[in-house]
Amino acid sequence: MESSSEVSPVTPGHVAGLLGHLSRIGIGYLPMPDQAVAAALAATRSLPTESFESTDQRDAASGNIQHRSTAPDAAADEAVRKSSGGPDSGRSRSGAPPVVTGDGAASAIASGIDQPYAGPSLSPADRAARLAEIASRVAGCTTCTELACSRRSTVFGEGDPMAKICFLGEAPGQEEDASGRPFVGRSGELLTKMIEACTLSRSEVYILNVIKCRPPNNRTPDPEEVANCRSYFAEQLQIIRPDYIVCLGLVAARSLLHSDLSVGRLRGRFHRYRDSKVVVTYHPSYLLRTPNVKKEAWFDLQMLMKDYGIDLSQIGSKRPRK
Ligand code: URA
């Protein structure tokens, strides 16, 4: 047996295992010591302070789905820093607890999503200009050859650049591909009702998808396509920096949170992406197919709105119906 005076080295695999375990037993957030404390702690435990860079090995250790790119969320930070001229240290809202979610906790941390949004908060006009610039890049994007060849239009997202709440879907469907607007088909009608049930309108929130092009036959986007599009949605969120992000369905939740867990395991509590609180709920198209889970989705929205300061339990008649 090891003598008690010996300190065994802590590896990223140990940390990933521990974080995964904590998440599975329901501990969603961990208080994060500041950099100096983390460095001192790491030194005493032989853990290099820069050990959480994303690598395939660490993703494998965490059992998380592999994302091809190293840290596109960090790339989005860099893009915003460059465009806003903000200093590296100009992070606006700190103090947010880091995300620890799903079995991909180490991967989530490696991606930088436990860090605050980078750069200063932009004015409404600057946000609109920056979003328009990204939209024009998206419109010309041909990274995913199959999607670029089959799409009619790219679907960037729409809504208030100052929105406090963003709704993140999966990918455009047929109607969205035809119109260039997110959530305008049948599931879009239900999403609109859900938003209105929260006493809000579509123009007060921001609606976007993980993937900006329609996958042929509405197939699920593959991990490579998600990786290719990640920097676009990360930049959008960085610019809008909403207080809340509602992940609609599994692809949105897993892509944003770097988690392997099901919607059923992720919903009903808050997660965190940078400075935003994240709510995971069922995708409207799933709700259309499985109406008996609408009550869970309604619970998730009530949880969000209560935290936001609106108690929807007082507005019983506003419950989304279809
Ligand atoms: N489903 C989505 O996830 N997004 C849309 O824009 C439409 C349907």
Side-chain angles (χ1 to χ4, degrees), residues 34-75:
D34 63 26
Q35 291 294 321
V37 176
L41 184 66
T44 64
R45 303 299 298 172
S46 313
L47 176 67
T49 46
E50 261 131 55
S51 66
F52 283 129
E53 316 271 287
S54 177
T55 67
D56 289 351
Q57 197 192 351
R58 281 179 207 124
D59 282 350
S62 70
N64 198 32
I65 39 171
Q66 303 279 314
H67 289 288
R68 209 185 50 171
S69 127
T70 47
D73 304 282

mmCIF file of all heavy atoms in Angstrom, residues 34-75:
data_model
loop_
_atom_site.group_PDB
_atom_site.id
_atom_site.type_symbol
_atom_site.label_atom_id
_atom_site.label_comp_id
_atom_site.label_asym_id
_atom_site.label_seq_id
_atom_site.Cartn_x
_atom_site.Cartn_y
_atom_site.Cartn_z
ATOM 1 N N ASP A 34 -9.833 31.016 -7.679
ATOM 2 C CA ASP A 34 -9.246 31.868 -8.707
ATOM 3 C C ASP A 34 -7.951 31.226 -9.231
ATOM 4 O O ASP A 34 -7.494 30.204 -8.726
ATOM 5 C CB ASP A 34 -9.030 33.301 -8.199
ATOM 6 C CG ASP A 34 -8.054 33.353 -7.046
ATOM 7 O OD1 ASP A 34 -7.196 32.449 -6.952
ATOM 8 O OD2 ASP A 34 -8.140 34.290 -6.240
ATOM 9 N N GLN A 35 -7.377 31.859 -10.269
ATOM 10 C CA GLN A 35 -6.235 31.263 -10.967
ATOM 11 C C GLN A 35 -5.076 30.940 -10.031
ATOM 12 O O GLN A 35 -4.458 29.886 -10.133
ATOM 13 C CB GLN A 35 -5.733 32.224 -12.046
ATOM 14 C CG GLN A 35 -6.694 32.386 -13.206
ATOM 15 C CD GLN A 35 -6.850 31.089 -13.987
ATOM 16 O OE1 GLN A 35 -5.874 30.384 -14.183
ATOM 17 N NE2 GLN A 35 -8.050 30.757 -14.399
ATOM 18 N N ALA A 36 -4.813 31.861 -9.085
ATOM 19 C CA ALA A 36 -3.668 31.655 -8.198
ATOM 20 C C ALA A 36 -3.893 30.444 -7.313
ATOM 21 O O ALA A 36 -2.993 29.605 -7.122
ATOM 22 C CB ALA A 36 -3.459 32.908 -7.342
ATOM 23 N N VAL A 37 -5.123 30.330 -6.784
ATOM 24 C CA VAL A 37 -5.429 29.182 -5.931
ATOM 25 C C VAL A 37 -5.356 27.898 -6.745
ATOM 26 O O VAL A 37 -4.807 26.882 -6.307
ATOM 27 C CB VAL A 37 -6.837 29.344 -5.296
ATOM 28 C CG1 VAL A 37 -7.196 28.109 -4.483
ATOM 29 C CG2 VAL A 37 -6.890 30.595 -4.442
ATOM 30 N N ALA A 38 -5.888 27.960 -7.971
ATOM 31 C CA ALA A 38 -5.854 26.765 -8.823
ATOM 32 C C ALA A 38 -4.424 26.345 -9.099
ATOM 33 O O ALA A 38 -4.088 25.160 -9.067
ATOM 34 C CB ALA A 38 -6.590 27.041 -10.132
ATOM 35 N N ALA A 39 -3.557 27.338 -9.367
ATOM 36 C CA ALA A 39 -2.153 27.029 -9.674
ATOM 37 C C ALA A 39 -1.472 26.409 -8.450
ATOM 38 O O ALA A 39 -0.736 25.419 -8.566
ATOM 39 C CB ALA A 39 -1.429 28.299 -10.102
ATOM 40 N N ALA A 40 -1.747 26.993 -7.250
ATOM 41 C CA ALA A 40 -1.133 26.461 -6.032
ATOM 42 C C ALA A 40 -1.608 25.036 -5.774
ATOM 43 O O ALA A 40 -0.819 24.138 -5.475
ATOM 44 C CB ALA A 40 -1.481 27.366 -4.847
ATOM 45 N N LEU A 41 -2.906 24.831 -5.963
ATOM 46 C CA LEU A 41 -3.475 23.502 -5.754
ATOM 47 C C LEU A 41 -2.875 22.509 -6.740
ATOM 48 O O LEU A 41 -2.474 21.397 -6.380
ATOM 49 C CB LEU A 41 -4.999 23.583 -5.938
ATOM 50 C CG LEU A 41 -5.775 22.304 -5.671
ATOM 51 C CD1 LEU A 41 -5.682 21.927 -4.194
ATOM 52 C CD2 LEU A 41 -7.234 22.479 -6.069
ATOM 53 N N ALA A 42 -2.788 22.950 -7.998
ATOM 54 C CA ALA A 42 -2.243 22.062 -9.020
ATOM 55 C C ALA A 42 -0.800 21.688 -8.697
ATOM 56 O O ALA A 42 -0.389 20.542 -8.862
ATOM 57 C CB ALA A 42 -2.320 22.747 -10.383
ATOM 58 N N ALA A 43 -0.037 22.679 -8.197
ATOM 59 C CA ALA A 43 1.375 22.416 -7.891
ATOM 60 C C ALA A 43 1.487 21.357 -6.796
ATOM 61 O O ALA A 43 2.301 20.436 -6.892
ATOM 62 C CB ALA A 43 2.056 23.705 -7.454
ATOM 63 N N THR A 44 0.615 21.448 -5.774
ATOM 64 C CA THR A 44 0.722 20.481 -4.680
ATOM 65 C C THR A 44 0.303 19.097 -5.134
ATOM 66 O O THR A 44 0.683 18.109 -4.554
ATOM 67 C CB THR A 44 -0.151 20.874 -3.472
ATOM 68 O OG1 THR A 44 -1.510 20.845 -3.874
ATOM 69 C CG2 THR A 44 0.212 22.238 -2.933
ATOM 70 N N ARG A 45 -0.500 19.022 -6.186
ATOM 71 C CA ARG A 45 -0.978 17.723 -6.648
ATOM 72 C C ARG A 45 -0.327 17.294 -7.954
ATOM 73 O O ARG A 45 -0.835 16.431 -8.648
ATOM 74 C CB ARG A 45 -2.502 17.759 -6.840
ATOM 75 C CG ARG A 45 -3.266 18.151 -5.601
ATOM 76 C CD ARG A 45 -3.061 17.191 -4.448
ATOM 77 N NE ARG A 45 -3.534 15.850 -4.748
ATOM 78 C CZ ARG A 45 -3.323 14.802 -3.963
ATOM 79 N NH1 ARG A 45 -2.626 14.927 -2.863
ATOM 80 N NH2 ARG A 45 -3.793 13.628 -4.294
ATOM 81 N N SER A 46 0.770 17.933 -8.350
ATOM 82 C CA SER A 46 1.485 17.588 -9.586
ATOM 83 C C SER A 46 0.603 17.715 -10.817
ATOM 84 O O SER A 46 0.764 16.973 -11.776
ATOM 85 C CB SER A 46 2.018 16.148 -9.542
ATOM 86 O OG SER A 46 2.654 15.913 -8.355
ATOM 87 N N LEU A 47 -0.398 18.592 -10.782
ATOM 88 C CA LEU A 47 -1.273 18.760 -11.934
ATOM 89 C C LEU A 47 -0.868 20.010 -12.704
ATOM 90 O O LEU A 47 -0.914 21.102 -12.163
ATOM 91 C CB LEU A 47 -2.718 18.922 -11.450
ATOM 92 C CG LEU A 47 -3.788 19.196 -12.501
ATOM 93 C CD1 LEU A 47 -3.947 17.966 -13.385
ATOM 94 C CD2 LEU A 47 -5.105 19.546 -11.849
ATOM 95 N N PRO A 48 -0.407 19.853 -13.938
ATOM 96 C CA PRO A 48 -0.023 21.038 -14.690
ATOM 97 C C PRO A 48 -1.212 21.977 -14.840
ATOM 98 O O PRO A 48 -2.322 21.525 -15.099
ATOM 99 C CB PRO A 48 0.391 20.496 -16.059
ATOM 100 C CG PRO A 48 0.377 19.016 -15.953
ATOM 101 C CD PRO A 48 -0.347 18.635 -14.720
ATOM 102 N N THR A 49 -0.998 23.284 -14.651
ATOM 103 C CA THR A 49 -2.126 24.228 -14.694
ATOM 104 C C THR A 49 -2.750 24.298 -16.074
ATOM 105 O O THR A 49 -3.889 24.675 -16.213
ATOM 106 C CB THR A 49 -1.671 25.642 -14.291
ATOM 107 O OG1 THR A 49 -0.473 25.916 -14.980
ATOM 108 C CG2 THR A 49 -1.483 25.798 -12.819
ATOM 109 N N GLU A 50 -1.977 23.944 -17.128
ATOM 110 C CA GLU A 50 -2.552 24.032 -18.459
ATOM 111 C C GLU A 50 -3.038 22.675 -18.944
ATOM 112 O O GLU A 50 -3.062 22.394 -20.116
ATOM 113 C CB GLU A 50 -1.517 24.588 -19.430
ATOM 114 C CG GLU A 50 -1.713 26.070 -19.691
ATOM 115 C CD GLU A 50 -0.436 26.833 -19.542
ATOM 116 O OE1 GLU A 50 0.537 26.467 -20.205
ATOM 117 O OE2 GLU A 50 -0.425 27.776 -18.731
ATOM 118 N N SER A 51 -3.436 21.819 -18.010
ATOM 119 C CA SER A 51 -3.761 20.454 -18.408
ATOM 120 C C SER A 51 -5.133 20.330 -19.027
ATOM 121 O O SER A 51 -5.482 19.274 -19.509
ATOM 122 C CB SER A 51 -3.684 19.535 -17.208
ATOM 123 O OG SER A 51 -4.693 19.881 -16.308
ATOM 124 N N PHE A 52 -5.919 21.359 -19.044
ATOM 125 C CA PHE A 52 -7.268 21.224 -19.577
ATOM 126 C C PHE A 52 -7.416 21.728 -20.998
ATOM 127 O O PHE A 52 -8.477 22.133 -21.403
ATOM 128 C CB PHE A 52 -8.291 21.909 -18.652
ATOM 129 C CG PHE A 52 -8.564 21.090 -17.450
ATOM 130 C CD1 PHE A 52 -8.481 21.648 -16.194
ATOM 131 C CD2 PHE A 52 -8.866 19.754 -17.564
ATOM 132 C CE1 PHE A 52 -8.724 20.884 -15.067
ATOM 133 C CE2 PHE A 52 -9.103 18.993 -16.455
ATOM 134 C CZ PHE A 52 -9.030 19.548 -15.193
ATOM 135 N N GLU A 53 -6.356 21.732 -21.776
ATOM 136 C CA GLU A 53 -6.511 21.966 -23.197
ATOM 137 C C GLU A 53 -7.221 20.740 -23.752
ATOM 138 O O GLU A 53 -6.995 19.642 -23.316
ATOM 139 C CB GLU A 53 -5.149 22.063 -23.889
ATOM 140 C CG GLU A 53 -4.158 22.883 -23.158
ATOM 141 C CD GLU A 53 -4.203 24.335 -23.542
ATOM 142 O OE1 GLU A 53 -3.753 24.631 -24.648
ATOM 143 O OE2 GLU A 53 -4.681 25.136 -22.745
ATOM 144 N N SER A 54 -8.054 20.968 -24.764
ATOM 145 C CA SER A 54 -8.797 19.848 -25.327
ATOM 146 C C SER A 54 -7.881 18.961 -26.156
ATOM 147 O O SER A 54 -7.166 19.426 -27.018
ATOM 148 C CB SER A 54 -9.907 20.375 -26.221
ATOM 149 O OG SER A 54 -10.584 19.313 -26.817
ATOM 150 N N THR A 55 -7.867 17.694 -25.828
ATOM 151 C CA THR A 55 -7.142 16.751 -26.679
ATOM 152 C C THR A 55 -8.009 15.522 -26.828
ATOM 153 O O THR A 55 -8.862 15.262 -26.010
ATOM 154 C CB THR A 55 -5.818 16.284 -26.050
ATOM 155 O OG1 THR A 55 -6.151 15.503 -24.897
ATOM 156 C CG2 THR A 55 -4.904 17.419 -25.667
ATOM 157 N N ASP A 56 -7.757 14.766 -27.884
ATOM 158 C CA ASP A 56 -8.550 13.561 -28.100
ATOM 159 C C ASP A 56 -8.432 12.640 -26.902
ATOM 160 O O ASP A 56 -9.378 12.028 -26.474
ATOM 161 C CB ASP A 56 -8.063 12.830 -29.344
ATOM 162 C CG ASP A 56 -8.442 13.629 -30.578
ATOM 163 O OD1 ASP A 56 -9.202 14.595 -30.441
ATOM 164 O OD2 ASP A 56 -7.961 13.284 -31.640
ATOM 165 N N GLN A 57 -7.191 12.580 -26.333
ATOM 166 C CA GLN A 57 -6.977 11.675 -25.221
ATOM 167 C C GLN A 57 -7.878 12.029 -24.051
ATOM 168 O O GLN A 57 -8.508 11.183 -23.455
ATOM 169 C CB GLN A 57 -5.529 11.784 -24.799
ATOM 170 C CG GLN A 57 -5.087 10.628 -23.957
ATOM 171 C CD GLN A 57 -3.748 10.941 -23.330
ATOM 172 O OE1 GLN A 57 -3.113 11.934 -23.669
ATOM 173 N NE2 GLN A 57 -3.323 10.101 -22.442
ATOM 174 N N ARG A 58 -7.963 13.335 -23.750
ATOM 175 C CA ARG A 58 -8.788 13.739 -22.613
ATOM 176 C C ARG A 58 -10.259 13.527 -22.898
ATOM 177 O O ARG A 58 -11.010 13.146 -22.044
ATOM 178 C CB ARG A 58 -8.515 15.189 -22.260
ATOM 179 C CG ARG A 58 -7.253 15.279 -21.470
ATOM 180 C CD ARG A 58 -6.916 16.688 -21.112
ATOM 181 N NE ARG A 58 -5.497 16.745 -20.972
ATOM 182 C CZ ARG A 58 -4.724 17.575 -21.636
ATOM 183 N NH1 ARG A 58 -5.233 18.453 -22.442
ATOM 184 N NH2 ARG A 58 -3.447 17.534 -21.465
ATOM 185 N N ASP A 59 -10.661 13.771 -24.132
ATOM 186 C CA ASP A 59 -12.051 13.505 -24.457
ATOM 187 C C ASP A 59 -12.357 12.028 -24.272
ATOM 188 O O ASP A 59 -13.407 11.658 -23.785
ATOM 189 C CB ASP A 59 -12.367 13.920 -25.898
ATOM 190 C CG ASP A 59 -12.538 15.425 -25.994
ATOM 191 O OD1 ASP A 59 -12.587 16.064 -24.936
ATOM 192 O OD2 ASP A 59 -12.617 15.938 -27.116
ATOM 193 N N ALA A 60 -11.371 11.192 -24.661
ATOM 194 C CA ALA A 60 -11.587 9.768 -24.499
ATOM 195 C C ALA A 60 -11.675 9.425 -23.025
ATOM 196 O O ALA A 60 -12.516 8.631 -22.596
ATOM 197 C CB ALA A 60 -10.448 8.988 -25.154
ATOM 198 N N ALA A 61 -10.822 10.100 -22.216
ATOM 199 C CA ALA A 61 -10.845 9.838 -20.778
ATOM 200 C C ALA A 61 -12.196 10.196 -20.184
ATOM 201 O O ALA A 61 -12.673 9.550 -19.261
ATOM 202 C CB ALA A 61 -9.746 10.647 -20.087
ATOM 203 N N SER A 62 -12.836 11.250 -20.701
ATOM 204 C CA SER A 62 -14.099 11.681 -20.134
ATOM 205 C C SER A 62 -15.268 10.906 -20.729
ATOM 206 O O SER A 62 -16.389 11.052 -20.299
ATOM 207 C CB SER A 62 -14.309 13.171 -20.397
ATOM 208 O OG SER A 62 -14.556 13.372 -21.770
ATOM 209 N N GLY A 63 -14.999 10.120 -21.756
ATOM 210 C CA GLY A 63 -16.079 9.398 -22.401
ATOM 211 C C GLY A 63 -16.975 10.321 -23.211
ATOM 212 O O GLY A 63 -18.088 9.970 -23.571
ATOM 213 N N ASN A 64 -16.507 11.489 -23.500
ATOM 214 C CA ASN A 64 -17.362 12.461 -24.194
ATOM 215 C C ASN A 64 -17.309 12.270 -25.694
ATOM 216 O O ASN A 64 -16.350 11.739 -26.223
ATOM 217 C CB ASN A 64 -16.864 13.872 -23.849
ATOM 218 C CG ASN A 64 -17.912 14.902 -24.138
ATOM 219 O OD1 ASN A 64 -19.097 14.621 -24.020
ATOM 220 N ND2 ASN A 64 -17.475 16.068 -24.500
ATOM 221 N N ILE A 65 -18.384 12.722 -26.411
ATOM 222 C CA ILE A 65 -18.311 12.712 -27.858
ATOM 223 C C ILE A 65 -17.132 13.569 -28.295
ATOM 224 O O ILE A 65 -16.816 14.565 -27.674
ATOM 225 C CB ILE A 65 -19.594 13.267 -28.538
ATOM 226 C CG1 ILE A 65 -20.147 14.463 -27.761
ATOM 227 C CG2 ILE A 65 -20.588 12.194 -28.792
ATOM 228 C CD1 ILE A 65 -21.254 15.184 -28.475
ATOM 229 N N GLN A 66 -16.515 13.150 -29.373
ATOM 230 C CA GLN A 66 -15.337 13.861 -29.840
ATOM 231 C C GLN A 66 -15.753 15.055 -30.671
ATOM 232 O O GLN A 66 -16.549 14.930 -31.581
ATOM 233 C CB GLN A 66 -14.509 12.929 -30.724
ATOM 234 C CG GLN A 66 -14.098 11.648 -30.011
ATOM 235 C CD GLN A 66 -12.904 11.849 -29.130
ATOM 236 O OE1 GLN A 66 -11.942 12.462 -29.543
ATOM 237 N NE2 GLN A 66 -12.957 11.336 -27.926
ATOM 238 N N HIS A 67 -15.232 16.205 -30.349
ATOM 239 C CA HIS A 67 -15.422 17.364 -31.211
ATOM 240 C C HIS A 67 -14.090 17.637 -31.867
ATOM 241 O O HIS A 67 -13.061 17.655 -31.221
ATOM 242 C CB HIS A 67 -15.881 18.562 -30.391
ATOM 243 C CG HIS A 67 -17.284 18.401 -29.918
ATOM 244 N ND1 HIS A 67 -18.352 18.492 -30.754
ATOM 245 C CD2 HIS A 67 -17.778 18.110 -28.691
ATOM 246 C CE1 HIS A 67 -19.458 18.291 -30.079
ATOM 247 N NE2 HIS A 67 -19.135 18.061 -28.831
ATOM 248 N N ARG A 68 -14.125 17.844 -33.173
ATOM 249 C CA ARG A 68 -12.894 17.876 -33.931
ATOM 250 C C ARG A 68 -12.014 19.058 -33.569
ATOM 251 O O ARG A 68 -10.827 18.967 -33.426
ATOM 252 C CB ARG A 68 -13.257 17.940 -35.420
ATOM 253 C CG ARG A 68 -12.242 17.310 -36.300
ATOM 254 C CD ARG A 68 -12.626 17.536 -37.724
ATOM 255 N NE ARG A 68 -12.919 18.940 -37.952
ATOM 256 C CZ ARG A 68 -13.116 19.445 -39.151
ATOM 257 N NH1 ARG A 68 -13.076 18.662 -40.195
ATOM 258 N NH2 ARG A 68 -13.355 20.726 -39.307
ATOM 259 N N SER A 69 -12.651 20.192 -33.403
ATOM 260 C CA SER A 69 -11.838 21.377 -33.243
ATOM 261 C C SER A 69 -11.411 21.537 -31.791
ATOM 262 O O SER A 69 -12.074 21.054 -30.890
ATOM 263 C CB SER A 69 -12.663 22.539 -33.763
ATOM 264 O OG SER A 69 -12.758 23.525 -32.860
ATOM 265 N N THR A 70 -10.284 22.173 -31.553
ATOM 266 C CA THR A 70 -9.756 22.196 -30.193
ATOM 267 C C THR A 70 -10.581 23.055 -29.257
ATOM 268 O O THR A 70 -11.013 22.608 -28.230
ATOM 269 C CB THR A 70 -8.308 22.704 -30.165
ATOM 270 O OG1 THR A 70 -8.255 23.875 -30.961
ATOM 271 C CG2 THR A 70 -7.346 21.672 -30.634
ATOM 272 N N ALA A 71 -10.807 24.300 -29.591
ATOM 273 C CA ALA A 71 -11.610 25.156 -28.727
ATOM 274 C C ALA A 71 -12.250 26.275 -29.538
ATOM 275 O O ALA A 71 -11.846 27.419 -29.438
ATOM 276 C CB ALA A 71 -10.751 25.716 -27.598
ATOM 277 N N PRO A 72 -13.238 25.949 -30.349
ATOM 278 C CA PRO A 72 -13.845 26.975 -31.182
ATOM 279 C C PRO A 72 -14.526 28.055 -30.356
ATOM 280 O O PRO A 72 -14.666 29.183 -30.806
ATOM 281 C CB PRO A 72 -14.867 26.221 -32.033
ATOM 282 C CG PRO A 72 -14.581 24.786 -31.832
ATOM 283 C CD PRO A 72 -13.832 24.647 -30.552
ATOM 284 N N ASP A 73 -14.978 27.711 -29.138
ATOM 285 C CA ASP A 73 -15.580 28.750 -28.308
ATOM 286 C C ASP A 73 -14.515 29.788 -27.964
ATOM 287 O O ASP A 73 -14.791 30.974 -27.906
ATOM 288 C CB ASP A 73 -16.160 28.134 -27.039
ATOM 289 C CG ASP A 73 -17.153 27.033 -27.366
ATOM 290 O OD1 ASP A 73 -18.287 27.349 -27.723
ATOM 291 O OD2 ASP A 73 -16.764 25.863 -27.290
ATOM 292 N N ALA A 74 -13.299 29.321 -27.776
ATOM 293 C CA ALA A 74 -12.205 30.255 -27.527
ATOM 294 C C ALA A 74 -11.897 31.048 -28.791
ATOM 295 O O ALA A 74 -11.554 32.226 -28.733
ATOM 296 C CB ALA A 74 -10.972 29.491 -27.065
ATOM 297 N N ALA A 75 -12.053 30.404 -29.943
ATOM 298 C CA ALA A 75 -11.844 31.124 -31.208
ATOM 299 C C ALA A 75 -12.869 32.248 -31.344
ATOM 300 O O ALA A 75 -12.562 33.330 -31.842
ATOM 301 C CB ALA A 75 -11.970 30.160 -32.390
#
